[in-house]
Amino acid sequence: MDYKNYIAEKIKIDGVSREEIYSSVALPPNSEMGDYALPCFKFAKVLRKSPAVIAEELKSGFATDGVISEVSAVNGYLNFKVNKAELAKQVLGEIFKKGDKYGSSECGKGKTVCIDYSSVNIAKPFHIGHLSTTVLGGALYKLFGFLGYNVVGINHLGDYGTQFGKLICAYKHWGNREEVEKGGIHAINDLYVRFNNQADEQMEAEAREYFRLIESGDKEANEIFEWFKSLTLKYVQEIYDKLGVKFDSYAGERFYTDKMQPVIDELKSKNLLKESEGAQIVDLEAYSMPPCLILRSDGASLYATRDLAAAIYRKNTYNFDKCLYVVAYQQNLHFKQVFKVLELMGKEWAKDLVHVAYGMVSLEDGAMSTRKGKVVWLEDVINKCVEKAYAVVTEKNPDLENKREIAEKVGLGAVIFGALYNNKIKDIVFSYDKVLSFEGETSVYVQYTCARANSVLSKAGNSGCVVEGYEPNALEFEVVKQLASFPDTLKEAADKYEPCYIARFAVDLAQKFNKFYIDCKILNAEGDTKQFRLALTKAVLQTLKNALAILGIGVPDKM
């Protein structure tokens, strides 16, 4: 049962919609006050009464029943206590009925969400800075799909620019096909670094010519470029497979080469394009923004030109209800400009474009530069985490079978969870020791809780059932309430594009379960108590698995 909805349906406030009431119902910080609470402060202006008076009036008009057992008004809050036995029956029943679909919904049915994320650069390996966009976008992809949306994952490849002329030039001077095939993406990157360190003016001129040849369709130049591209995609696919990330489109910057001119023509026809020092711009001074540069003085296009073309193409192709751009916060101005230009072009759907900005990820030793070769590769971070996880798991449980497979799940989970646990806008300094801790707010802690629950259920022969009329004690009920909040947590995470809500939910549920596990007998309990506690353990395991699966994290049976 959706208790928030049940409460919202029973409360009538003049001038306030049911949706507003529903969104205001929350879990109070102190469970002794109630299981749900309605703050009345935001209604004071509409009703011209104090929150305390509003809460008292609403209390007097709310009839308790078999669902809500008690209502109280305290300091402007309307607090509700639910029928514990009924809530436990409803929640556990729904979890067992839906299984790995618990928390899912049809709220997105008939709607399409495009998600632009990861956006790998051709001929460059993944570095630690690509972690957030990849796992954040991957989690949003799974989350919206879980909520019934049609989701289109787009990898907007960085496959356009003068750097590819530099790469071909470097390959022609220093490269060897057999060595590049063997070394793959890292051999290509070495050539790029060498060019930036050693190229003279003549080579710079050659590089510009090679880029011109790529653009003009030269056979040899394009064959080399496509070879670099295939080596890159083979490399990144291995990382995507490990992280459980997928895409439906790899249409990158080059894809929009022939789609930019219609955009430029439309800007001209709507008198939005102006000349400035030989360049073509859209003036955004009236909106407190610098001009959006569309064409350079030499006629070359820019990121904005291609992003305008991409947005229009995506709308025409997918007819999205939302299009999300999972890109670092350094691009805030860029997306504000692009969205505003589309709005000025009369694209009503510009309001459906969302920049999902995130902070930077780094290791303790600081920033990176691909040109100078000073960079921390994401694959190295993943491999190191897996190796450290293997050492930790071995120390904890030396006789454990399939340690390598378990370490893979633990290590990868630690990398993903470490990037998703905090609000997306925060910068993250990645610490191997912190993310691999069995204690605290980590995926390892949640995975270990799953292994603990699985162990209990295995010893009990996986029995347990919903017991009619069983009233949970305080610790059991805390777990039940946390389980009940999962569907709402997913909807809130989707509304705010914040997978961290799911990560925090998982940690909170693990903490509540472990407190229950330590303080309440499970296997040594008797009768209905034992059956209920086993059922509660089974429900916790299923819900934690569901939460971690949305984040892209696997759950080992043992640890």
Side-chain angles (χ1 to χ4, degrees):
M1 174 181 285
D2 186 342
Y3 283 83
K4 287 176 63 175
N5 187 57
Y6 184 84
I7 291 167
E9 289 287 356
K10 292 192 69 172
I11 291 179
K12 309 297 178 189
I13 303 175
D14 290 339
V16 180
S17 69
R18 190 204 68 81
E19 288 72 22
E20 288 178 272
I21 296 171
Y22 178 88
S23 64
S24 298
V25 177
L27 298 175
N30 183 352
S31 59
E32 291 181 6
M33 296 168 62
D35 302 311
Y36 293 92
L38 177 67
C40 298
F41 304 94
K42 64 167 63 175
F43 312 134
K45 189 174 181 180
V46 175
L47 300 179
R48 298 181 182 277
K49 296 176 183 176
S50 73
V53 170
I54 295 169
E56 286 290 347
E57 290 180 351
L58 291 176
K59 175 195 166 187
S60 64
F62 195 102
T64 56
D65 51 25
V67 178
I68 302 297
S69 60
E70 185 182 329
V71 183
S72 62
V74 181
N75 299 326
Y77 287 85
L78 192 62
N79 298 320
F80 305 89
K81 289 191 175 180
V82 305
N83 183 314
K84 293 180 180 179
E86 183 64 24
L87 179 60
K89 174 187 168 185
Q90 291 279 351
V91 173
L92 297 190
E94 186 177 358
I95 294 171
F96 297 147
K97 180 182 176 182
K98 297 186 78 172
D100 61 6
K101 299 297 182 186
Y102 175 61
S104 66
S105 77
E106 295 285 306
C107 68
K109 190 174 182 180
K111 298 177 182 176
T112 296
V113 175
C114 290
I115 309 178
D116 176 334
Y117 62 107
S118 197
S119 301
V120 63
N121 292 312
I122 296 303
K124 289 184 183 179
F126 263 140
H127 58 66
I128 186 73
H130 289 111
L131 176 60
S132 286
T133 176
T134 304
V135 299
L136 178 56
L140 291 173
Y141 184 98
K142 295 181 186 71
L143 173 59
F144 279 100
F146 202 62
L147 297 179
Y149 290 83
N150 173 44
V151 190
V152 182
I154 300 170
N155 198 327
H156 187 72
L157 299 175
D159 57 1
Y160 188 95
T162 55
Q163 70 267 33
F164 299 113
K166 294 178 181 180
L167 272 168
I168 292 174
C169 181
Y171 173 68
K172 284 285 194 176
H173 278 267
W174 306 306
N176 174 287
R177 189 173 183 94
E178 188 177 330
E179 289 178 3
V180 172
E181 281 283 358
K182 186 178 178 182
I185 190 74
H186 290 290
I188 300 171
N189 185 69
D190 288 344
L191 288 172
Y192 183 66
V193 172
R194 185 172 178 181
F195 182 94
N196 282 286
N197 288 334
Q198 298 182 21
D200 53 23
E201 287 185 17
Q202 183 180 339
M203 288 184 70
E204 291 283 0
E206 283 179 32
R208 288 192 291 273
E209 175 60 13
Y210 278 121
F211 179 57
R212 188 194 68 76
L213 288 172
I214 293 173
E215 287 195 299
S216 63
D218 178 78
K219 186 172 183 290
E220 185 193 19
N222 276 283
E223 281 178 354
I224 296 172
F225 171 77
E226 290 299 329
W227 174 46
F228 288 162
K229 182 174 178 179
S230 67
L231 290 174
T232 305
L233 292 180
K234 179 183 176 184
Y235 157 81
V236 298
Q237 191 59 52
E238 291 176 3
I239 294 178
Y240 290 145
D241 289 344
K242 284 184 177 182
L243 295 174
V245 170
K246 64 167 287 189
F247 299 92
D248 304 291
S249 166
Y250 284 85
E253 293 183 75
R254 281 190 88 196
F255 179 78
Y256 299 102
T257 302
D258 61 349
K259 297 169 181 62
M260 290 185 283
Q261 192 57 49
V263 177
I264 295 164
D265 292 342
E266 186 175 347
L267 287 168
K268 285 179 181 174
S269 69
K270 292 179 176 175
N271 296 317
L272 291 169
L273 214 55
K274 296 181 180 180
E275 186 175 325
S276 175
E277 299 178 10
Q280 297 293 314
I281 67 163
V282 176
D283 187 358
L284 298 176
E285 186 179 357
Y287 307 97
S288 302
M289 282 186 270
C292 184
L293 194 56
I294 304 298
L295 293 173
R296 287 200 176 112
S297 56
D298 62 1
S301 61
L302 293 104
Y303 285 122
T305 330
R306 297 187 283 279
D307 277 343
L308 290 168
I312 293 169
Y313 173 84
R314 291 170 188 174
K315 183 61 180 179
N316 291 338
T317 304
Y318 305 113
N319 193 26
F320 56 74
D321 294 88
K322 289 282 182 187
C323 183
L324 313 182
Y325 295 80
V326 186
V327 183
Y329 62 67
Q330 285 90 337
Q331 298 300 318
N332 281 353
L333 175 60
H334 169 77
F335 284 108
K336 283 180 182 177
Q337 290 176 311
V338 169
F339 298 169
K340 178 55 71 174
V341 171
L342 287 165
E343 182 187 322
L344 294 173
M345 291 173 74
K347 312 297 183 188
E348 292 182 6
W349 46 266
K351 65 181 179 2
D352 302 319
L353 305 174
V354 181
H355 176 205
V356 181
Y358 60 84
M360 302 307 291
V361 181
S362 63
L363 296 178
E364 286 88 345
D365 53 1
M368 300 154 293
S369 168
T370 312
R371 287 187 179 184
K372 295 178 181 177
K374 294 179 180 178
V375 66
V376 179
W377 304 126
L378 180 53
E379 66 197 279
D380 291 339
V381 173
I382 290 172
N383 292 337
K384 188 172 180 180
C385 247
V386 171
E387 287 306 315
K388 280 182 169 286
Y390 183 80
V392 171
V393 169
T394 300
E395 184 183 346
K396 286 272 184 184
N397 193 345
D399 301 324
L400 189 63
E401 295 180 359
N402 304 318
K403 283 193 294 236
R404 187 59 65 180
E405 183 183 323
I406 290 167
E408 190 87 7
K409 287 183 179 178
V410 172
L412 284 166
V415 173
I416 295 168
F417 203 84
L420 293 180
Y421 186 73
N422 291 304
N423 289 78
K424 59 183 181 288
I425 203 63
K426 287 187 178 180
D427 288 339
I428 301 166
V429 177
F430 193 87
S431 163
Y432 293 105
D433 291 337
K434 285 182 182 177
V435 299
L436 286 168
S437 172
F438 271 71
E439 298 175 359
E441 298 159 346
T442 67
S443 59
V444 185
Y445 174 73
V446 179
Q447 288 171 319
Y448 185 69
T449 302
C450 290
R452 171 176 275 177
N454 196 57
S455 174
V456 170
L457 294 169
S458 296
K459 290 174 183 175
N462 212 24
S463 59
C465 61
V466 179
V467 179
E468 187 75 35
Y470 181 89
E471 183 164 318
N473 66 25
L475 289 175
E476 293 165 344
F477 193 56
E478 283 300 307
V479 176
V480 169
K481 283 197 300 179
Q482 184 71 10
L483 291 168
S485 70
F486 186 52
D488 277 344
T489 299
L490 296 185
K491 289 175 185 174
E492 187 176 12
D495 288 343
K496 296 180 179 177
Y497 317 113
E498 280 284 14
C500 71
Y501 292 168
I502 305 169
R504 291 175 185 173
F505 166 89
V507 169
D508 289 346
L509 177 56
Q511 288 173 340
K512 287 180 168 64
F513 172 77
N514 283 319
K515 187 165 178 54
F516 152 73
Y517 171 87
I518 291 166
D519 292 352
C520 298
K521 295 177 181 178
I522 302 177
L523 293 173
N524 293 330
E526 297 179 352
D528 286 353
T529 300
K530 181 176 181 177
Q531 290 306 309
F532 176 82
R533 288 177 179 175
L534 286 170
L536 190 60
T537 301
K538 195 185 299 184
V540 166
L541 177 58
Q542 182 65 70
T543 306
L544 287 177
K545 281 183 173 181
N546 292 4
L548 291 179
I550 291 169
L551 300 179
I553 298 171
V555 176
D557 292 334
K558 297 178 180 180
M559 279 178 72

